Amino acid sequence: MTAAASHLPRTDDARRRGLARMRGLATGLLLLMTAIFVATRMAPAAWVWTRYVGAFAEAAMVGACADWFAVSALFRRPLGLPIPHTGIIPRNKDRIGEALGDFIANNFLTPGVLDARVRRLEPARRVADWLAADDHAQILAARTVALLPDVVGAGAELRDLAGDLIRRAARSRPIAPLAARLLGWFWREPAVQRLVNRTIDRLADFGLEHEAFIQSRIAGETWKWLPKWIDKILAERFTRDLLRFADELRDPDHPWRRDLDAAVEGLIRRLAEDPDLAARAEAMRDQLLADPTLANRLEGLWAELAERLAADPGVRGALLGETLARALRGLGAWLAEDPAARERLDRWVRVAARRTLSSQRQAIGGFVAQVVAGWDAAGVADRLELQVGRDLQYIRINGTLVGGLVGLAIFALSRWLS
């Protein structure tokens, strides 16, 4: 075995052995038919039945040779002879690559096919199941944290590259419509409204817990010429009204809550539709990105992060790993429990697949054609024969047997007609 062959994958070795076995079987069947044909020609003339066996063997040899030629002509020139229309795959390698690229682009990467495939895959559920199984979250977190010191400590070139990518990404799209979508998603999220109610509850609870302190401070800030009993009445009235107002604000239909919601929705519409506001937002973004203070702050944060990661990698690695693992487990649990979140993630994946793969399917098809065009012609033939050659040997076997049966039928029919 050559040095190149010794490095073949085990699957290729198995395929080569299987191909060799099937070739031997097909060739052995041809040799058997040849031996039978020769034996029938040497049999006594009185043995009439040998003529039928000889007709079968003769036709089987013809079928075996014809199918051997057909199969061999796909991958090479039979016996090395320059016979026209042989070595089909090596001679048409580039055209096969183009056809393969077009086939992939037009049958696997179309928007409808990608959308249906992603729907069947359910990527959000798969992510949730994967993070919940076999402590995958801990393993992924550990591997990510292990890479952090190398990534952060890679030097100024990586830092500058990251900064350049961030600036390019920030300038790549208008900021106002993006801000409108983000603010709309954030404000309309039920969890945000629950957070608003919880904040109001906390303020009311704080007022109840510190009612006496608030009253004493209010009483101490009034005019000195007012009697103390009036100060007390005013303070009690103010705190009582403040707590009642906080209790009323819990109602989503409160006028102030409706005014706040209308103001936020109006801001979302303006961000999406007002060209003047969009222009001011673009100017603010460009001014912020051009500010050297921001670059200096980011550089300082990068250096501080690299220093902290290098100071005690064991302890910080364990701390970061556990934090990241806990976050990943929380992400998996959230996706497993929230069908709406899974649907949103699946929808984002479908949109990303359409925008990245489907929109570039012609380029991907062209890349496949270029890769195939760069292969050696003999290598292409060898790869394809390794994949399908074993099955093609059945054509030779079937051709031998079917050819023999057809020859036997023709011989019997001619004997009957004569």
Side-chain angles (χ1 to χ4, degrees), residues 19-282:
L19 176 58
R21 282 196 302 270
M22 292 306 301
R23 276 178 176 167
L25 179 59
T27 303
L29 189 57
L30 171 60
L31 295 176
L32 176 62
M33 293 298 107
T34 303
I36 292 174
F37 174 75
V38 172
T40 56
R41 285 297 184 267
M42 299 174 62
W47 293 1
V48 178
W49 59 270
T50 59
R51 300 176 186 177
Y52 290 89
V53 176
F56 177 88
E58 182 178 10
M61 288 191 300
V62 174
C65 291
D67 286 335
W68 166 81
F69 181 89
V71 171
S72 298
L74 287 172
F75 305 103
R76 62 187 61 83
R77 288 179 171 179
L79 302 177
L81 300 175
I83 302 172
H85 305 294
T86 58
I88 295 172
I89 290 175
R91 287 193 304 106
N92 296 277
K93 171 178 63 71
D94 294 349
R95 192 171 65 182
I96 292 173
E98 293 175 1
L100 180 61
D102 290 340
F103 180 78
I104 293 174
N106 297 321
N107 292 277
F108 291 92
L109 301 179
T110 59
V113 171
L114 285 174
D115 194 75
R117 183 60 178 168
V118 172
R119 286 182 185 275
R120 287 196 299 270
L121 285 176
E122 294 183 312
R125 183 176 293 280
R126 288 175 180 265
V127 169
D129 294 342
W130 188 84
L131 289 174
D134 299 330
D135 211 16
H136 287 156
Q138 189 71 39
I139 296 172
L140 179 60
R143 292 181 178 177
T144 303
V145 170
L147 292 174
L148 279 178
D150 295 335
V151 172
V152 176
E157 291 185 1
L158 181 60
R159 182 194 63 214
D160 295 342
L161 176 61
D164 186 56
L165 289 175
I166 293 174
R167 285 189 291 271
R168 287 177 181 271
R171 292 192 177 101
S172 62
R173 299 184 64 182
I175 191 172
L178 178 61
R181 285 195 293 271
L182 290 176
L183 181 58
W185 171 81
F186 176 80
W187 182 250
R188 294 160 190 155
E189 184 69 22
V192 174
Q193 300 303 319
R194 290 195 297 269
L195 178 62
V196 172
N197 291 333
R198 190 173 301 175
T199 303
I200 295 172
D201 292 339
R202 291 293 177 86
L203 289 174
D205 294 340
F206 180 84
L208 288 174
E209 292 172 3
H210 301 84
E211 184 176 1
F213 173 76
I214 295 173
Q215 290 177 1
S216 64
R217 291 301 302 268
I218 293 175
E221 295 295 330
T222 57
W223 296 281
K224 296 185 179 301
W225 50 267
L226 284 177
K228 295 295 183 182
W229 60 274
I230 296 179
D231 288 343
K232 184 177 180 181
I233 292 175
L234 291 175
E236 291 177 352
R237 179 66 181 271
F238 178 81
T239 53
R240 187 167 58 250
D241 290 344
L242 181 63
L243 292 175
R244 186 178 69 252
F245 177 69
D247 185 66
E248 292 174 353
L249 279 179
R250 292 188 177 99
D251 183 7
D253 292 329
H254 190 277
W256 280 27
R257 291 283 295 271
R258 289 200 300 269
D259 291 344
L260 176 61
D261 186 69
V264 175
E265 292 292 342
L267 177 60
I268 293 172
R269 285 194 300 272
R270 289 184 61 205
L271 285 171
E273 301 170 1
D274 189 345
D276 294 335
L277 185 59
R280 290 199 298 271
E282 300 291 327

Side-chain angles (χ1 to χ4, degrees), residues 316-335:
R316 296 199 177 278
L319 178 61
L320 289 174
E322 183 58 36
T323 302
L324 182 57
R326 189 162 55 247
L328 290 172
R329 284 192 290 267
L331 172 63
W334 174 51
L335 290 176

Side-chain angles (χ1 to χ4, degrees), residues 351-367:
V351 171
R354 287 196 298 268
R355 290 182 177 178
T356 56
L357 294 177
S358 183
S359 63
Q360 299 296 321
R361 64 181 185 274
Q362 298 302 329
I364 295 172
F367 172 75

